[in-house]
Protein backbone atom coordinates (compact mmCIF):
# COMPACT_ATOMS: atom_id res chain seq x y z
CA UNK A 1 0.00 0.00 0.00
CA UNK A 2 1.39 3.41 -0.96
CA UNK A 3 0.65 6.33 1.31
CA UNK A 4 0.83 9.78 -0.21
CA UNK A 5 1.54 12.43 2.38
CA UNK A 6 -0.28 15.70 1.76
CA UNK A 7 0.17 18.96 3.61
CA UNK A 8 -2.72 18.83 6.09
CA UNK A 9 -3.79 21.72 8.29
CA UNK A 10 -2.22 20.03 11.31
CA UNK A 11 1.18 19.99 9.57
CA UNK A 12 1.39 23.78 9.80
CA UNK A 13 0.97 26.27 12.63
CA UNK A 14 -2.41 27.96 12.82
CA UNK A 15 -2.39 31.75 13.09
CA UNK A 16 -3.06 31.53 16.82
CA UNK A 17 -0.22 29.01 17.26
CA UNK A 18 2.02 31.32 15.28
CA UNK A 19 1.06 34.24 17.56
CA UNK A 20 1.72 32.14 20.61
CA UNK A 21 5.18 31.18 19.37
CA UNK A 22 6.14 34.65 18.25
CA UNK A 23 5.02 36.11 21.58
CA UNK A 24 7.40 33.69 23.28
CA UNK A 25 10.47 34.93 21.37
CA UNK A 26 13.24 36.30 23.54
CA UNK A 27 15.22 39.51 23.04
CA UNK A 28 18.06 37.59 21.42
CA UNK A 29 15.65 36.01 18.95
CA UNK A 30 14.41 39.46 17.99
CA UNK A 31 18.02 40.53 17.51
CA UNK A 32 18.49 37.65 15.07
CA UNK A 33 15.36 38.61 13.15
CA UNK A 34 16.15 42.32 13.12
CA UNK A 35 19.73 41.78 11.98
CA UNK A 36 18.65 39.26 9.31
CA UNK A 37 16.18 41.79 7.92
CA UNK A 38 18.97 44.36 7.75
CA UNK A 39 21.26 41.94 5.89
CA UNK A 40 18.56 41.11 3.36
CA UNK A 41 17.91 44.77 2.58
CA UNK A 42 21.58 45.68 2.08
CA UNK A 43 22.04 47.67 -1.10
CA UNK A 44 18.35 47.50 -1.95
CA UNK A 45 15.84 50.32 -2.10
CA UNK A 46 13.81 48.77 0.70
CA UNK A 47 14.10 48.97 4.47
CA UNK A 48 14.80 45.90 6.57
CA UNK A 49 12.02 46.87 8.96
CA UNK A 50 9.47 47.01 6.12
CA UNK A 51 10.61 43.58 5.00
CA UNK A 52 10.26 42.05 8.45
CA UNK A 53 6.94 43.78 8.99
CA UNK A 54 5.62 42.38 5.73
CA UNK A 55 6.85 38.87 6.50
CA UNK A 56 5.09 38.92 9.87
CA UNK A 57 1.91 40.40 8.36
CA UNK A 58 1.80 37.61 5.75
CA UNK A 59 2.14 35.05 8.53
CA UNK A 60 -0.51 36.69 10.72
CA UNK A 61 -2.88 36.75 7.75
CA UNK A 62 -2.26 33.05 7.17
CA UNK A 63 -0.76 33.70 3.73
CA UNK A 64 2.52 32.14 4.85
CA UNK A 65 2.26 29.06 7.04
CA UNK A 66 5.03 27.75 9.25
CA UNK A 67 5.39 23.96 9.05
CA UNK A 68 5.29 22.36 12.49
CA UNK A 69 8.74 21.53 13.75
CA UNK A 70 10.40 24.33 11.80
CA UNK A 71 12.13 26.92 13.97
CA UNK A 72 10.03 30.10 13.87
CA UNK A 73 13.04 32.35 13.29
CA UNK A 74 14.22 30.21 10.41
CA UNK A 75 10.69 30.31 9.00
CA UNK A 76 10.42 34.12 9.19
CA UNK A 77 13.86 34.46 7.59
CA UNK A 78 12.71 32.19 4.76
CA UNK A 79 9.60 34.31 4.26
CA UNK A 80 11.73 37.46 4.12
CA UNK A 81 14.07 35.76 1.66
CA UNK A 82 11.17 34.75 -0.58
CA UNK A 83 9.83 38.32 -0.51
CA UNK A 84 13.24 39.68 -1.50
CA UNK A 85 13.59 37.08 -4.26
CA UNK A 86 10.23 38.08 -5.67
CA UNK A 87 11.16 41.74 -5.38
CA UNK A 88 14.46 41.17 -7.19
CA UNK A 89 12.77 39.07 -9.84
CA UNK A 90 10.54 41.96 -10.73
CA UNK A 91 13.29 44.57 -10.48
CA UNK A 92 15.46 42.51 -12.86
CA UNK A 93 12.99 43.26 -15.63
CA UNK A 94 13.83 45.88 -18.14
CA UNK A 95 12.97 49.31 -16.65
CA UNK A 96 10.78 50.02 -19.67
CA UNK A 97 8.87 46.84 -19.03
CA UNK A 98 8.20 48.06 -15.51
CA UNK A 99 6.23 50.93 -16.96
CA UNK A 100 3.47 48.57 -18.00
CA UNK A 101 1.23 46.47 -15.83
CA UNK A 102 2.72 43.00 -15.41
CA UNK A 103 0.25 40.18 -14.93
CA UNK A 104 2.17 37.66 -12.86
CA UNK A 105 1.29 34.01 -13.00
CA UNK A 106 3.06 33.05 -9.81
CA UNK A 107 1.82 34.28 -6.47
CA UNK A 108 5.40 34.90 -5.43
CA UNK A 109 5.76 37.45 -8.18
CA UNK A 110 2.82 39.37 -6.82
CA UNK A 111 4.34 39.64 -3.38
CA UNK A 112 6.85 42.25 -4.41
CA UNK A 113 4.04 44.70 -5.03
CA UNK A 114 4.00 45.10 -1.24
CA UNK A 115 7.68 46.07 -1.13
CA UNK A 116 7.87 49.58 -2.47
CA UNK A 117 11.31 50.59 -3.71
CA UNK A 118 12.33 54.08 -2.66
CA UNK A 119 14.52 54.67 -5.72
CA UNK A 120 14.69 53.67 -9.40
CA UNK A 121 16.46 50.53 -10.61
CA UNK A 122 19.66 52.17 -12.03
CA UNK A 123 20.28 54.01 -8.77
CA UNK A 124 19.58 50.86 -6.77
CA UNK A 125 22.12 48.92 -8.85
CA UNK A 126 24.69 51.67 -8.31
CA UNK A 127 24.15 51.59 -4.54
CA UNK A 128 24.36 47.79 -4.52
CA UNK A 129 27.68 48.00 -6.40
CA UNK A 130 29.02 50.55 -3.93
CA UNK A 131 27.93 48.39 -0.99
CA UNK A 132 29.68 45.39 -2.52
CA UNK A 133 32.87 47.40 -2.96
CA UNK A 134 32.68 48.48 0.65
CA UNK A 135 32.20 44.89 1.80
CA UNK A 136 35.15 43.87 -0.36
CA UNK A 137 37.35 46.46 1.33
CA UNK A 138 36.24 45.39 4.81
CA UNK A 139 36.99 41.73 4.05
CA UNK A 140 40.31 42.24 2.30
CA UNK A 141 43.49 41.04 3.97
CA UNK A 142 42.51 37.49 4.86
CA UNK A 143 42.89 35.04 1.99
CA UNK A 144 40.41 32.42 3.24
CA UNK A 145 37.76 35.04 3.96
CA UNK A 146 38.29 36.61 0.54
CA UNK A 147 38.00 33.24 -1.21
CA UNK A 148 34.81 32.27 0.65
CA UNK A 149 33.38 35.69 -0.11
CA UNK A 150 34.19 35.47 -3.83
CA UNK A 151 32.81 31.94 -4.09
CA UNK A 152 29.62 33.02 -2.35
CA UNK A 153 29.27 35.96 -4.74
CA UNK A 154 29.57 33.52 -7.62
CA UNK A 155 26.74 31.45 -6.22
CA UNK A 156 28.57 28.35 -5.07
CA UNK A 157 26.87 26.25 -2.41
CA UNK A 158 28.44 25.89 1.08
CA UNK A 159 29.38 22.32 0.19
CA UNK A 160 31.06 23.42 -3.03
CA UNK A 161 32.91 26.22 -1.24
CA UNK A 162 34.23 23.85 1.41
CA UNK A 163 35.32 21.36 -1.23
CA UNK A 164 36.87 24.07 -3.43
CA UNK A 165 38.86 25.63 -0.60
CA UNK A 166 39.60 22.44 1.30
CA UNK A 167 37.82 23.61 4.45
CA UNK A 168 36.15 21.27 6.89
CA UNK A 169 32.76 22.22 8.34
CA UNK A 170 34.29 23.73 11.50
CA UNK A 171 36.77 25.85 9.54
CA UNK A 172 33.99 26.96 7.19
CA UNK A 173 31.72 27.90 10.11
CA UNK A 174 34.47 29.90 11.79
CA UNK A 175 35.20 31.70 8.51
CA UNK A 176 31.53 32.66 8.22
CA UNK A 177 31.60 33.97 11.77
CA UNK A 178 34.70 36.02 11.01
CA UNK A 179 33.00 37.45 7.90
CA UNK A 180 29.88 38.36 9.84
CA UNK A 181 31.83 40.02 12.63
CA UNK A 182 33.86 42.03 10.15
CA UNK A 183 30.74 43.09 8.27
CA UNK A 184 29.02 44.16 11.47
CA UNK A 185 31.40 47.08 11.29
CA UNK A 186 29.88 48.09 7.98
CA UNK A 187 27.51 50.93 8.53
CA UNK A 188 24.52 50.20 6.39
CA UNK A 189 23.29 53.77 6.45
CA UNK A 190 26.60 55.09 5.27
CA UNK A 191 26.80 52.50 2.52
CA UNK A 192 23.38 53.28 1.12
CA UNK A 193 23.65 57.04 1.11
CA UNK B 1 29.18 24.08 -10.01
CA UNK B 2 27.49 26.90 -11.83
CA UNK B 3 28.18 30.59 -11.73
CA UNK B 4 25.07 32.61 -11.11
CA UNK B 5 23.98 36.17 -11.96
CA UNK B 6 26.47 39.02 -11.56
CA UNK B 7 23.75 41.53 -10.68
CA UNK B 8 25.15 43.26 -7.56
CA UNK B 9 21.75 43.07 -5.83
CA UNK B 10 21.65 39.31 -6.25
CA UNK B 11 25.27 39.04 -5.14
CA UNK B 12 24.47 41.04 -2.01
CA UNK B 13 21.53 38.75 -1.43
CA UNK B 14 23.86 35.75 -1.52
CA UNK B 15 26.12 37.42 1.04
CA UNK B 16 23.07 38.13 3.19
CA UNK B 17 22.18 34.43 3.12
CA UNK B 18 25.68 33.56 4.22
CA UNK B 19 25.49 35.99 7.14
CA UNK B 20 22.02 34.80 8.13
CA UNK B 21 23.22 31.18 8.11
CA UNK B 22 25.93 32.10 10.56
CA UNK B 23 23.63 34.30 12.65
CA UNK B 24 21.04 31.55 13.02
CA UNK B 25 23.74 29.04 13.96
CA UNK B 26 25.19 31.34 16.60
CA UNK B 27 24.21 30.21 20.12
CA UNK B 28 22.00 32.72 21.93
CA UNK B 29 24.56 33.23 24.70
CA UNK B 30 27.27 34.12 22.16
CA UNK B 31 25.01 36.62 20.45
CA UNK B 32 24.11 38.23 23.77
CA UNK B 33 27.83 38.53 24.37
CA UNK B 34 28.19 40.24 20.98
CA UNK B 35 25.31 42.54 21.82
CA UNK B 36 27.11 43.74 24.93
CA UNK B 37 29.69 45.41 22.69
CA UNK B 38 27.54 46.07 19.62
CA UNK B 39 24.65 48.39 20.41
CA UNK B 40 23.40 48.20 16.82
CA UNK B 41 22.50 44.57 17.48
CA UNK B 42 20.40 45.57 20.48
CA UNK B 43 18.76 48.26 18.34
CA UNK B 44 18.07 45.71 15.60
CA UNK B 45 16.19 43.63 18.17
CA UNK B 46 14.19 46.61 19.39
CA UNK B 47 13.31 47.53 15.80
CA UNK B 48 12.26 43.96 15.06
CA UNK B 49 9.92 43.91 18.05
CA UNK B 50 8.40 47.17 16.86
CA UNK B 51 7.84 45.56 13.44
CA UNK B 52 5.83 42.84 15.16
CA UNK B 53 3.71 45.36 17.08
CA UNK B 54 3.09 47.31 13.87
CA UNK B 55 2.21 44.11 12.03
CA UNK B 56 -0.35 43.18 14.70
CA UNK B 57 -1.92 46.63 14.38
CA UNK B 58 -1.96 46.73 10.60
CA UNK B 59 -3.36 43.21 10.22
CA UNK B 60 -6.04 44.04 12.82
CA UNK B 61 -6.90 47.28 11.03
CA UNK B 62 -7.06 45.45 7.70
CA UNK B 63 -9.40 42.81 9.13
CA UNK B 64 -11.62 45.51 10.60
CA UNK B 65 -11.71 47.29 7.26
CA UNK B 66 -12.69 44.07 5.46
CA UNK B 67 -15.38 43.31 8.06
CA UNK B 68 -16.76 46.85 7.77
CA UNK B 69 -16.84 46.62 3.98
CA UNK B 70 -18.64 43.27 4.21
CA UNK B 71 -21.22 44.67 6.63
CA UNK B 72 -21.71 47.72 4.48
CA UNK B 73 -22.20 45.57 1.42
CA UNK B 74 -24.70 43.34 3.25
CA UNK B 75 -26.58 46.37 4.59
CA UNK B 76 -26.68 47.96 1.16
CA UNK B 77 -28.23 44.83 -0.31
CA UNK B 78 -30.85 44.71 2.47
CA UNK B 79 -31.74 48.40 2.40
CA UNK B 80 -31.90 48.46 -1.36
CA UNK B 81 -34.45 45.69 -1.54
CA UNK B 82 -36.37 46.00 1.72
CA UNK B 83 -38.86 48.45 0.24
CA UNK B 84 -40.37 45.88 -2.09
CA UNK B 85 -44.13 45.60 -1.48
CA UNK B 86 -45.90 42.33 -0.69
CA UNK B 87 -47.96 42.24 -3.87
CA UNK B 88 -44.82 42.65 -5.99
CA UNK B 89 -43.06 39.93 -3.96
CA UNK B 90 -45.93 37.50 -4.54
CA UNK B 91 -45.94 38.29 -8.26
CA UNK B 92 -42.21 37.58 -8.52
CA UNK B 93 -42.60 34.30 -6.63
CA UNK B 94 -45.45 33.24 -8.90
CA UNK B 95 -43.34 34.09 -11.91
CA UNK B 96 -40.36 32.18 -10.53
CA UNK B 97 -42.55 29.16 -9.72
CA UNK B 98 -43.68 29.05 -13.30
CA UNK B 99 -40.18 29.38 -14.73
CA UNK B 100 -37.82 26.50 -15.32
CA UNK B 101 -34.72 28.22 -14.00
CA UNK B 102 -32.58 25.70 -12.12
CA UNK B 103 -31.34 28.35 -9.68
CA UNK B 104 -34.74 29.11 -8.26
CA UNK B 105 -37.01 26.17 -9.06
CA UNK B 106 -36.55 24.51 -5.66
CA UNK B 107 -36.80 27.75 -3.71
CA UNK B 108 -39.96 28.86 -5.45
CA UNK B 109 -41.83 25.57 -5.38
CA UNK B 110 -45.14 25.36 -3.41
CA UNK B 111 -45.01 28.96 -2.25
CA UNK B 112 -48.48 30.09 -3.32
CA UNK B 113 -49.86 30.29 0.20
CA UNK B 114 -47.07 32.04 2.06
CA UNK B 115 -47.70 35.25 4.03
CA UNK B 116 -46.79 38.74 2.80
CA UNK B 117 -43.88 38.98 5.27
CA UNK B 118 -42.57 35.57 4.21
CA UNK B 119 -42.82 36.55 0.53
CA UNK B 120 -40.79 39.73 1.10
CA UNK B 121 -38.26 37.85 3.23
CA UNK B 122 -37.91 35.15 0.58
CA UNK B 123 -37.24 37.68 -2.19
CA UNK B 124 -34.65 39.39 -0.02
CA UNK B 125 -32.92 36.09 0.65
CA UNK B 126 -32.92 35.12 -3.02
CA UNK B 127 -31.27 38.44 -3.89
CA UNK B 128 -28.73 38.05 -1.09
CA UNK B 129 -27.92 34.53 -2.25
CA UNK B 130 -27.51 35.79 -5.79
CA UNK B 131 -30.20 33.47 -7.12
CA UNK B 132 -31.98 36.49 -8.61
CA UNK B 133 -30.63 39.94 -9.31
CA UNK B 134 -31.94 43.27 -8.07
CA UNK B 135 -32.88 44.04 -11.67
CA UNK B 136 -35.26 41.08 -11.64
CA UNK B 137 -37.36 42.64 -8.89
CA UNK B 138 -37.31 46.26 -9.98
Amino acid sequence: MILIKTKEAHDVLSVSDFKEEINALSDVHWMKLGRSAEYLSWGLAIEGQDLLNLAICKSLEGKRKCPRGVNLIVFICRVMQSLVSAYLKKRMHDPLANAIEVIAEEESLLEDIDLRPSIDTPEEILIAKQTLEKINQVLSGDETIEMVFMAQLDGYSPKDIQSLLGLNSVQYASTLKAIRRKLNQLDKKESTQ
Amino acid sequence: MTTKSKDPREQLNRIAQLLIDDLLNTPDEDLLQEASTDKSLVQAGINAKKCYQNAIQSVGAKRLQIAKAEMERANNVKTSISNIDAARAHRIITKLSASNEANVTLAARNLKNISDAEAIELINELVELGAISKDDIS
Side-chain angles (χ1 to χ4, degrees), chain A residues 22-23 27-32 34-36 38-40 42-43 49 52-53 57 60-61 73 81 84 88 91-92 121 124-125 128 132 135 149 152-156 160 176-177 180-181 184, chain B residues 1-4 6-20 22-24 26 28 31-32 34-35 38 40-42 44-45 47-49 51-52 54-56 58-59 62-63:
Chain A
I22 202 169
N23 279 326
D27 285 349
V28 73
H29 293 146
W30 285 112
M31 285 179 205
K32 287 184 178 183
R35 190 42 66 88
S36 298
E38 286 174 4
Y39 289 150
L40 284 168
W42 265 2
Q49 290 186 47
L52 179 56
N53 179 275
C57 281
L60 288 173
E61 288 170 345
I73 300 172
Q81 175 60 46
V84 171
L88 286 175
R91 298 280 277 179
M92 294 299 166
T121 301
E124 187 177 52
I125 290 175
L132 268 180
I135 289 174
F149 172 67
Q152 183 71 16
L153 283 189
D154 284 340
Y156 292 121
D160 287 339
L176 294 195
K177 193 160 294 301
R180 189 173 63 76
R181 288 200 168 152
N184 279 345
Chain B
M1 289 191 282
T2 53
T3 301
K4 294 185 181 173
K6 292 282 186 187
D7 186 299
R9 296 168 297 176
E10 286 209 324
Q11 289 184 313
L12 277 175
N13 189 250
R14 278 181 227 130
I15 297 301
Q17 286 173 39
L18 185 98
L19 300 175
I20 291 170
D22 177 62
L23 191 65
L24 297 186
T26 302
D28 293 352
L31 202 67
L32 281 173
E34 265 185 51
D38 181 1
S40 72
L41 193 53
V42 177
N47 292 343
K49 260 188 192 174
C51 287
Y52 174 48
N54 292 341
I56 292 267
S58 57
V59 169
K62 200 170 165 184
R63 280 195 186 131

Side-chain angles (χ1 to χ4, degrees), chain A residues 37-185:
Chain A
E38 286 174 4
Y39 289 150
L40 284 168
S41 64
W42 265 2
L44 299 181
I46 51 170
E47 290 292 329
Q49 290 186 47
D50 292 340
L51 179 61
L52 179 56
N53 179 275
L54 185 60
I56 297 174
C57 281
K58 297 272 177 204
S59 307
L60 288 173
E61 288 170 345
K63 291 177 180 170
R64 290 286 185 279
K65 296 181 197 302
C66 179
R68 286 193 188 277
V70 169
N71 180 297
L72 197 72
I73 300 172
V74 172
F75 165 73
I76 296 174
C77 284
R78 280 185 193 159
V79 175
M80 288 196 288
Q81 175 60 46
S82 75
L83 292 169
V84 171
S85 297
Y87 168 86
L88 286 175
K89 214 169 183 176
K90 184 168 184 207
R91 298 280 277 179
M92 294 299 166
H93 293 168
D94 178 65
L96 286 175
N98 285 335
I100 57 166
E101 192 70 29
V102 176
I103 299 169
E105 287 176 8
E106 295 172 43
E107 193 216 357
S108 62
L109 264 178
L110 292 170
E111 300 288 358
D112 63 331
I113 292 165
D114 294 314
L115 286 172
R116 303 277 175 202
S118 57
I119 50 175
D120 291 335
T121 301
E123 196 183 347
E124 187 177 52
I125 290 175
L126 181 68
I127 288 174
K129 265 185 188 165
Q130 289 170 344
T131 307
L132 268 180
E133 281 164 15
K134 218 160 201 103
I135 289 174
N136 209 3
Q137 282 170 16
V138 171
L139 296 182
S140 66
D142 181 311
E143 199 182 341
T144 309
I145 284 180
E146 282 179 23
M147 296 289 279
V148 169
F149 172 67
M150 295 309 292
Q152 183 71 16
L153 283 189
D154 284 340
Y156 292 121
S157 70
K159 202 178 162 189
D160 287 339
I161 295 173
Q162 287 175 57
S163 155
L164 195 69
L165 302 179
L167 299 173
N168 62 33
S169 56
V170 176
Q171 288 168 322
Y172 177 69
S174 73
T175 308
L176 294 195
K177 193 160 294 301
I179 290 177
R180 189 173 63 76
R181 288 200 168 152
K182 274 178 178 276
L183 292 185
N184 279 345
Q185 312 305 318

Side-chain angles (χ1 to χ4, degrees), chain B residues 35-77:
Chain B
S36 65
T37 55
D38 181 1
K39 294 300 163 206
S40 72
L41 193 53
V42 177
Q43 191 57 49
I46 293 169
N47 292 343
K49 260 188 192 174
K50 273 187 199 160
C51 287
Y52 174 48
Q53 300 301 337
N54 292 341
I56 292 267
Q57 281 180 0
S58 57
V59 169
K62 200 170 165 184
R63 280 195 186 131
L64 191 65
Q65 207 177 355
I66 292 169
K68 271 184 183 170
E70 279 290 313
M71 280 177 67
E72 207 169 297
R73 194 187 58 78
N75 286 339
N76 283 343
V77 171

